[in-house]
Amino acid sequence: MINKVVSGAEEAIKDIENGHTLMLGGFGLCGIPENCIAALVKNGVKDLTCISNNAGVDDFGIGLMLQQRQVRKMISSYVGENAEFERQLLSGELEVELIPQGTLATRCMAAGYGMPAIFTPAGVGTEVAEGKEVRNFNGKDYLMEYAFEADFAIVKAWKGDTAGNLIFRSTSRNFNPVMAMAGKVTIAEVEELVEAGALDPDHIHTPGVFVHRIFQGADYEKRIEQRTVRTKG
Amino acid sequence: MLDKNGIAQRIAKEIKDGFYVNLGIGIPTLVANYIPEGINVVLQSENGLLGMGPFPFEGEEDADLINAGKQTITTLPGSSIFDSALSFGMIRSQKIDLTILGAMEVSENGDIANWKIPGKMVKGMGGAMDLVASAKNIIVAMQHVNKAGESKLLPKCTLPLTGVNCIKKIVTELAVLDVLPEGGFRLIERAPGVSVDFIRQSTLGRLIAADNVPEMKLD
């Protein structure tokens, strides 16, 4: 079995350079690679293009990278929870490409499946369609959207093994498996790293072939954006 | 005139037994509270969950288990979890029977705008563009007029579009309206105590109303 284990976030991200394109897994703050984001903030790499469904909040997640102006361009579907993001966007400091969430996921998927492009009806007749090829299939219009190209995909899983196999937990799965398949280099941080053989092959969500580096993360905060509860009774 | 809960309650009457339903953020989320007894519905959350349950009890919140509004939620017996690409696969392939979402504007030909006010507000479209482009059945839940008192039911949307020719039904605090295939808002029901004239004054797009438009029944 090929061993994919690295010592930690700092080693995992050490060759990410200024100007690189990164995919970052997560939906809101759920399932984000907290350790790698912290390491990127610490090492100060900049002019990054970040592909991620959201941009974190002001003081957590990708928001920490935005505060330090490490991000040149964001490719996201929803950024409503981040005031600093909205400010940088409206003032023109940050280049932003907002794309439909399904298009974002499927452009990752296409990359991971080795397909150059997909056709989707999302955005037909809107400003998302500007400059894009439209094809009609069976009477309905579709936009051609290209597979993403990312230098690195950085994902967060629940469990992983030394061979790079990943298992995600609950809705923290979200974009992580499709991004894991899509990076030229994929880095996975996991809550629990086990020896190859300890995970049931039937339960693996992402096969280790897609993962180049894996490490067990530490001190997960797992911040909740909207704590909603009901009372017993 | 209805409050937000009243709008949600009226929309809940459109949900049929066996439906898979996607609820957007805001008023649509409230619809879950009014699904009639005996109707089996599975709620989809596009971040990767089918079978969304109620909010957790205090102390049982799980940061790994949220809905598309980033709220802590629960699963139910029979729930399933999947990744984002698969989630939009089931949306695009029309496995979801009904989509309920909010809007800033709807035009009389069924265009919807709900993701951007140029120069002022850019939150993004999230999954809304995918949902409206593929759903077979979309209901818009919204206020009839905006905060400035201007109609949100227009001849043509003024804001950047989310989707074209896709909205078939609208429920507001004043009325239930169908968007006609040939264009125009047909008044189906009035909210309790609201006159056709008042609805007409609040609707900038073409309103088609019969002489006798029934009042909504919420129970």
Side-chain angles (χ1 to χ4, degrees):
Chain A
M1 205 47 74
I2 302 164
N3 192 317
K4 308 284 178 80
V5 178
V6 295
S7 60
E10 280 183 31
E11 184 188 347
I13 64 136
K14 68 178 191 305
D15 51 350
I16 294 179
E17 293 171 7
N18 294 345
H20 270 158
T21 295
L22 313 182
M23 285 177 175
L24 293 130
F27 186 99
L29 301 178
C30 180
I32 59 172
E34 293 182 20
N35 282 238
C36 283
I37 290 171
L40 287 165
V41 168
K42 195 174 162 205
N43 109 344
V45 60
K46 56 182 195 298
D47 292 326
L48 299 170
T49 294
C50 291
I51 302 167
S52 183
N53 188 55
N54 311 91
V57 294
D58 284 319
D59 61 348
F60 201 58
I62 294 173
L64 297 170
M65 293 163 67
L66 289 166
Q67 271 185 20
Q68 290 207 80
R69 309 290 171 86
Q70 290 176 273
V71 183
R72 184 179 57 80
K73 181 178 180 180
M74 268 314 302
I75 301 175
S76 301
S77 87
Y78 191 82
V79 294
E81 283 88 5
N82 193 320
E84 173 64 12
F85 181 101
E86 201 165 350
R87 191 197 64 73
Q88 287 187 23
L89 167 57
L90 291 170
S91 69
E93 291 162 56
L94 178 69
E95 191 184 339
V96 176
E97 192 180 337
L98 286 168
I99 63 177
Q101 194 175 126
T103 301
L104 181 69
T106 313
R107 288 176 70 185
C108 294
M109 192 202 80
Y113 277 67
M115 300 184 297
I118 54 130
F119 290 94
T120 176
V124 167
T126 76
E127 64 181 51
V128 165
E130 282 168 18
K132 290 177 184 163
E133 183 179 337
V134 178
R135 286 274 290 275
N136 190 287
F137 297 96
N138 301 318
K140 183 167 173 165
D141 283 341
Y142 295 79
L143 300 183
M144 186 165 77
E145 298 275 8
Y146 292 102
F148 282 125
E149 286 185 35
D151 299 297
F152 290 85
I154 306 175
V155 303
K156 152 79 187 1
W158 179 42
K159 290 183 180 178
D161 68 19
T162 52
N165 295 305
L166 304 178
I167 296 176
F168 302 91
R169 181 176 176 276
S170 203
T171 57
S172 71
R173 192 183 314 186
N174 56 63
F175 283 83
N176 284 300
V178 280
M179 288 185 172
M181 293 174 64
K184 283 182 196 139
V185 174
T186 290
I187 298 165
E189 56 174 88
V190 300
E191 287 177 57
E192 187 185 353
L193 182 65
V194 297
E195 287 299 318
L199 301 176
D200 182 340
D202 271 336
H203 292 170
I204 303 296
H205 293 131
T206 298
V209 68
F210 293 109
V211 176
H212 304 87
R213 301 169 193 173
I214 190 168
F215 67 93
Q216 182 169 304
D219 303 324
Y220 283 102
E221 185 176 338
K222 292 201 188 182
R223 201 183 287 190
I224 291 173
E225 274 182 75
Q226 307 281 340
R227 187 179 299 273
T228 45
V229 295
R230 66 192 150 129
T231 44
K232 278 184 180 152
Chain B
M1 197 175 297
L2 304 176
D3 60 10
K4 286 178 178 181
N5 283 296
I7 296 173
Q9 197 176 352
R10 175 58 190 84
I11 290 175
K13 291 177 71 175
E14 303 291 322
I15 296 177
K16 297 190 172 58
D17 191 40
F19 265 18
Y20 290 90
V21 180
N22 181 288
L23 301 177
I25 296 165
I27 300 173
T29 306
L30 301 172
V31 174
N33 300 333
Y34 296 100
I35 294 167
E37 283 285 315
I39 300 267
N40 289 305
V41 172
V42 177
L43 300 178
Q44 196 243 19
S45 192
E46 67 267 23
N47 57 317
L49 170 63
L50 209 46
M52 177 169 61
F55 295 148
F57 290 119
E58 197 156 2
E60 294 176 8
E61 311 93 285
D62 179 351
D64 287 340
L65 182 52
I66 62 167
N67 64 16
K70 285 100 177 175
Q71 296 171 312
T72 47
I73 42 140
T74 55
T75 55
L76 294 169
S79 289
S80 56
I81 304 257
F82 34 84
D83 68 60
S84 299
L86 192 147
S87 183
F88 284 92
M90 69 180 71
I91 288 166
R92 246 183 258 114
S93 62
Q94 301 196 325
K95 301 297 189 279
I96 305 302
D97 299 287
L98 176 62
T99 290
I100 302 167
L101 77 175
M104 296 171 189
E105 296 177 346
V106 177
S107 76
E108 60 188 40
N109 67 334
D111 294 352
I112 175 173
N114 73 353
W115 71 283
K116 183 179 184 182
I117 302 171
K120 280 190 190 153
M121 185 285 287
V122 188
K123 292 190 185 303
M125 65 290 280
M129 282 195 182
D130 308 272
L131 283 157
V132 300
S134 294
K136 355 177 215 201
N137 194 358
I138 306 169
I139 301 176
V140 164
M142 66 175 190
Q143 303 295 325
H144 212 98
V145 297
N146 65 19
K147 281 178 188 145
E150 299 156 341
S151 179
K152 294 168 73 172
L153 288 83
L154 304 172
K156 202 169 183 294
C157 292
T158 62
L159 296 170
L161 295 179
T162 307
V164 294
N165 281 318
C166 53
I167 305 306
K168 307 219 167 46
K169 194 180 280 289
I170 304 163
V171 179
T172 74
E173 77 281 18
L174 304 181
V176 179
L177 309 108
D178 279 349
V179 181
L180 297 176
E182 66 272 24
F185 301 107
R186 182 162 66 197
L187 184 57
I188 303 296
E189 294 173 16
R190 298 173 290 115
V194 175
S195 70
V196 172
D197 276 349
F198 188 76
I199 294 166
R200 198 178 291 284
Q201 284 164 27
S202 308
T203 308
L204 207 58
R206 194 159 65 95
L207 187 80
I208 298 125
D211 292 337
N212 256 323
V213 178
E215 219 172 69
M216 287 177 207
K217 290 187 181 65
L218 288 176
D219 295 310

